[in-house]
Amino acid sequence: MGRRPSAITLQQLHYFIEVAAEGSISAAADLLYVAQPTMSAAMKDLEVRVGRALLVRSARGVTLTDEGAEFLGYARQVTEQVALLEQRYLGRPPSRRLLGVSAQHYSFVVDAFVRMVRGSEAAEYEFSLRETRTWDIIEDVRTLRSEIGILYRNDFNRNVIDKLLRDFGLAFRPLFLAEPHIFISRKNPLASRDRVTLADLADLPRFTFDQGANNSFYFAEEILSTLSSRREIRVSDRATIFNLMIGLDGYTISTGIISDDLDPEIVAIPLEADERIEIGWIGHSGIPLTQQAQRYLDELRAVVAEFGVELLG
C-alpha cells in the first residue's frame, strides 16, 4: 500500500493565506520574517500534500489556480476557527480580522462597513473597501483580492452578468429588491416632488459612473443605461457625482437607499419606470465565507432593513 500523505499543518495554511494575499512568495516571506527558500519549500510541500497545484508561478509573482482559490476559502475558515478556539479556551486576545469588499457606489455599503468596523472586537484588523467599476468588482472577487463583491443586476444585464460569473466560478446571491429612484440635490426643483418621470429628466444633466475600458451598457451601474441623454457626464467616484448634483442640478438613477449622515445634501425621489433593481453579493461558488464576511453581510442586511426594503436572503 502507498504511503498516506502527511497532514497539512496550521503553519502552512497561514503561509498560504499570506502568499495569496501578497501575490508573491518572497513578499509573504518578508512579511512573516521567513527565509524565501523556506516559504517556497513550504508551498511546494503543501501542494504535494493536497495532491494538486494551488499556485501558478511566474516572474511577476504567483496567482491561484481554480483549486487554489477553493483551497484558500477553506484555509481561511480553519485559521479563523483555530483563532476563536484559542481566544475562548487559552485566553488569547481576539485575532487580527481580515476582510476585503469591492462594491458599486452605494452609501449603504459604506454604512454597513462602518458598523462592522465599529463592532469589531479585534485588537488588530486589516479591512479594505473598494468602490470601483463593475468589471473590477468581478475581477477582485475572482482573484480573491476581495472576499465579497456588491453589485446590481436586472432584466437587461442579468444574462450577461450571470454568464460572466459562471465562467469565473462565481455566484450571485440576492440581497434585496429596490424600486428605482433618482438622486438629486436638495436644492433641485424636483426635490419637492413625490415622484418623477423620465420626461421630467429630459433637460437635466445625467451623471453615470465611468466603466473604463469595459464601458458596455451591460456593465453600467445605472438602470436604463441604453436610453440616450442630451447631457451626459461620467464620473469615477461618489463624492464627485454628489458634488456635481449640487453644482449642476443633475441626477443619477439608483436604489433610493441613501445615508442622511454620509450624504446630507442629497435626496432620493421615486422614478416611474417598469424596472426593479436587484442588489446582491458575489463570491466564489462552493467556498464558505469567513465569519467576518458573514458579519459584514449581517450589517448590510440590517442597514437595508431600516429603509423598509424587501430582503431576499
Side-chain angles (χ1 to χ4, degrees), residues 118-137:
R118 285 178 174 170
S120 175
E121 298 177 353
E124 299 181 8
Y125 54 73
E126 183 178 330
F127 300 137
S128 68
L129 175 60
R130 279 173 35 91
E131 286 192 341
T132 189
R133 299 162 175 167
T134 303
W135 175 269
D136 292 336
I137 294 167

Side-chain angles (χ1 to χ4, degrees), residues 40-172:
S40 182
M43 292 301 94
K44 289 179 180 177
D45 182 60
L46 178 62
E47 290 177 307
V48 170
R49 294 187 189 201
V50 300
R52 61 202 70 189
L54 303 176
L55 301 169
V56 177
R57 296 159 176 82
S58 71
R60 292 175 294 179
V62 297
T63 56
L64 297 176
T65 64
D66 289 344
E67 290 180 320
E70 182 176 2
F71 185 86
L72 178 60
Y74 287 104
R76 285 172 170 167
Q77 286 280 325
V78 170
T79 56
E80 187 173 64
Q81 291 299 318
V82 169
L84 289 173
L85 281 171
E86 291 179 341
Q87 178 185 336
R88 174 68 177 85
Y89 294 104
L90 301 182
R92 299 277 175 86
S95 63
R96 182 181 180 87
R97 294 296 187 197
L98 304 173
L99 178 66
V101 176
S102 293
Q104 291 173 331
H105 301 78
Y106 301 124
S107 62
F108 58 83
V109 167
V110 180
D111 266 344
F113 200 85
V114 169
R115 294 186 187 189
M116 179 197 70
V117 174
R118 285 178 174 170
S120 175
E121 298 177 353
E124 299 181 8
Y125 54 73
E126 183 178 330
F127 300 137
S128 68
L129 175 60
R130 279 173 35 91
E131 286 192 341
T132 189
R133 299 162 175 167
T134 303
W135 175 269
D136 292 336
I137 294 167
I138 296 171
E139 186 68 6
D140 282 354
V141 177
R142 183 186 73 83
T143 60
L144 293 163
R145 178 178 187 180
S146 292
E147 187 174 355
I148 292 174
I150 309 293
L151 47 77
Y152 99 95
R153 68 182 183 183
N154 67 347
D155 291 340
F156 175 71
N157 71 4
R158 183 184 310 273
N159 289 340
V160 172
I161 295 294
D162 286 355
K163 182 181 185 306
L164 183 61
L165 295 178
R166 284 196 304 270
D167 290 345
F168 286 163
L170 309 178
F172 181 99

